[in-house]
Each structure stands twice: as C-alpha cells, then as structure tokens.
Amino acid sequence: MRERLFYFSLFLLSVFAYLSNLSSYPLLSPFASFINRLLMPVMELKTQTTKRVQDLVNTYVFLVDTQKRNKKLLEEVSTLSLKVSELEGCKRELLQLKGLMEEPPTVEYTLAGVVAYDPSGRDEFMLLDKGKRDGLEEGFVVAHRNVFLGIVDQVYAGTSRVRTVWSNNLHVSATAGGKNYIYKGGFPKGSLLHVPQEDELEKGEKVFLRSLRLPPLEIGEVYEVYPSGEQFFKRVEVKPYGDVKRIDFVLVLRRRL
C-alpha cells in the first residue's frame, strides 16, 4: 500500500512539474529529471500492460468468434451428414428395388424386410418389419420382382403378417391360358379351381394374378393337369414361383385386389 502511495505521489509530482514547466528552472531541473527517471519504468510498464491486456481482449474476441463459427460449421456438417445418410438409404433402397422388380412399380409401395418365416416349414406366412406406423393395411398385395407372394392379413404397430401363395387360406383371382380362374394356395402346391374339362391348360402354362389396378404379377406355373372324375371340371395343380425362405426384402403394394 505504501509502495503504491509512493509511486502515485511521484506521478502527481511529475504531472505538476510538467504543467508548471519546472524543468525550465535551472535549480529545479535536476529534481524534475530525477522524478521523470523514477516514473519512466512505471509508465513503460503501464504501456506494456495496457498493450498486453488489449492483445488478450482481442484474442478472446477472436476465440469467441471462432468458437461460434466452429459451432455453426459443426451444425452444418451434422446436417450434411444426415442428408448423406438419407441419400445412402435412398441409394440402397433403389438397389434393392432394382433386384425386387424388373420394372419400377406403377403404384405406391413400401419396401419391407422379412424378419420371420413359417416355423412349420410349409411357408404359409412370413413376418415383415413394417406395420401400421408405416401405413400398411390388411389386404395389401406383397410381391418380389414380378412374382406375387401373398396378401397382408394381419397388421400390428411395427410389423405385419403376410399370408403367402403356399397357404390353404389364400384365394385370389388368377388368369391362365387367357381365361380367368380362382387360385387356391396350398403346400406343396396350389391349384386352380373350377377349370372346365374343355379348357386346354398344359403343364408349364404361366398363372398370373388377375387385377385391374396392379401390374401383371406371376403366381407360378401349371405343374400338372388331372382328370378330376367330376363331370364338368378337372384338377389343375400350380407350382408357385415364390421361394419364401430365400427372400430378404419384399414390396408391399399399397393396393387391394
């Protein structure tokens, strides 16, 4: 405290000497020079301290501004990363879609993964990883490439079940040889119902799903034709194309038959 008071007193004397021009008096000139020599280091220290403080303030402002810019850049990088992830997801979906259908679907669809199969080995149903949250509804048609696989028959929050072409409970309208029939699912083979005796269906004849609102999806092909013993109809077995256990992704067409 005393040291500060001493330097402050010297500073006041120096100011007084400067204002009163005491250095012009021969007798007081040595005294004024002595005071100036004492105060010079203090003034230099003050100048250096002021400069350092100013440099520190400028550095702080620069760092704060840089930090704000870095934060903004990080947010932009995060946004770009999300966009890149979305683009990669779209790319994967397009590649999967290319393998799922020979031609792009003409109706709205949802790409779904198969997460479970019929444990009995009869391939009567499969479970998908999409459900009500994804807009799926009962009755939507399920396909892989140009092959009809089945119909969504139960929908849950995040999953759904598909009744396949191998299920005895599946009945859909079909065409074969230019005529319309009813395809009934079954294991190990399905069948065409009510085929008149005069209809000329041969082994290898392709069977298509019949729908005015969907692309022509293949169900399978005629495996064998037998005389049924009935007066009007014959028995026609159909081998479905859908190999359920080898499928990882399917298209759920947002249309009902």
Side-chain angles (χ1 to χ4, degrees):
M1 183 67 181
R2 291 179 179 178
E3 184 179 356
R4 292 182 179 179
L5 183 60
F6 173 73
Y7 282 116
F8 182 71
S9 300
L10 289 177
F11 174 74
L12 291 178
L13 287 174
S14 177
V15 172
F16 175 75
Y18 174 77
L19 294 177
S20 58
N21 198 17
L22 293 179
S23 58
S24 61
Y25 297 96
L27 295 177
L28 296 178
S29 177
F31 178 70
S33 299
F34 174 74
I35 293 176
N36 287 333
R37 283 197 300 272
L38 289 177
L39 287 178
M40 188 60 65
V42 177
M43 299 301 293
E44 290 180 355
L45 178 62
K46 179 182 177 182
T47 302
Q48 293 177 0
T49 303
T50 302
K51 185 178 180 181
R52 289 181 181 178
V53 171
Q54 185 177 4
D55 291 341
L56 289 174
V57 170
N58 292 335
T59 302
Y60 174 76
V61 173
F62 174 77
L63 291 176
V64 170
D65 185 61
T66 302
Q67 186 177 10
K68 290 180 179 180
R69 291 183 179 180
N70 288 340
K71 184 178 180 181
K72 185 177 180 180
L73 288 174
L74 287 175
E75 292 176 353
E76 292 178 356
V77 169
S78 178
T79 302
L80 290 174
S81 297
L82 289 176
K83 290 183 178 179
V84 169
S85 298
E86 292 176 358
L87 290 174
E88 288 295 330
C90 292
K91 181 180 178 180
R92 288 194 299 270
E93 183 173 339
L94 287 173
L95 291 175
Q96 291 165 353
L97 179 59
K98 184 178 180 181
L100 292 176
M101 296 206 74
E102 294 178 359
E103 297 180 2
T106 56
V107 298
E108 292 186 30
Y109 65 90
T110 296
L111 181 66
V114 182
V115 295
Y117 307 95
D118 181 2
S120 70
R122 298 172 63 90
D123 298 336
E124 293 191 3
F125 71 87
M126 55 184 176
L127 195 67
L128 307 182
D129 62 356
K130 299 292 174 65
K132 291 182 180 178
R133 288 196 296 260
D134 307 284
L136 267 59
E137 300 177 6
E138 294 179 2
F140 282 177
V141 173
V142 180
H144 181 270
R145 296 180 67 84
N146 289 333
V147 175
F148 170 70
L149 292 179
I151 295 176
V152 177
D153 68 341
Q154 292 184 21
V155 183
Y156 311 101
T159 59
S160 55
R161 196 183 78 162
V162 178
R163 188 191 316 147
T164 72
V165 290
W166 302 92
S167 172
N168 290 321
N169 296 319
L170 180 76
H171 294 78
V172 294
S173 181
T175 63
K179 294 190 177 181
N180 301 329
Y181 304 101
I182 298 296
Y183 170 79
K184 179 180 182 298
F187 183 86
K189 296 176 182 64
S191 59
L192 292 180
L193 303 181
H194 311 304
V195 179
Q197 294 283 1
E198 62 271 14
D199 286 359
E200 297 181 358
L201 286 179
E202 299 180 356
K203 185 176 181 178
E205 187 84 48
K206 283 191 175 183
V207 180
F208 295 89
L209 180 69
R210 180 172 177 266
S211 174
L212 299 177
R213 300 185 299 172
L214 293 172
L217 300 175
E218 299 176 356
I219 296 176
E221 63 182 42
V222 174
Y223 180 77
E224 199 64 70
V225 180
Y226 303 96
S228 63
E230 297 184 12
Q231 184 176 2
F232 302 105
F233 305 107
K234 52 188 174 183
R235 186 161 61 95
V236 178
E237 290 186 346
V238 176
K239 181 181 179 181
Y241 287 147
D243 193 350
V244 175
K245 289 190 179 67
R246 294 179 179 271
I247 295 174
D248 296 321
F249 293 92
V250 298
L251 288 179
V252 182
L253 305 181
R254 294 173 175 268
R255 290 287 179 86
R256 296 183 176 87
L257 294 178

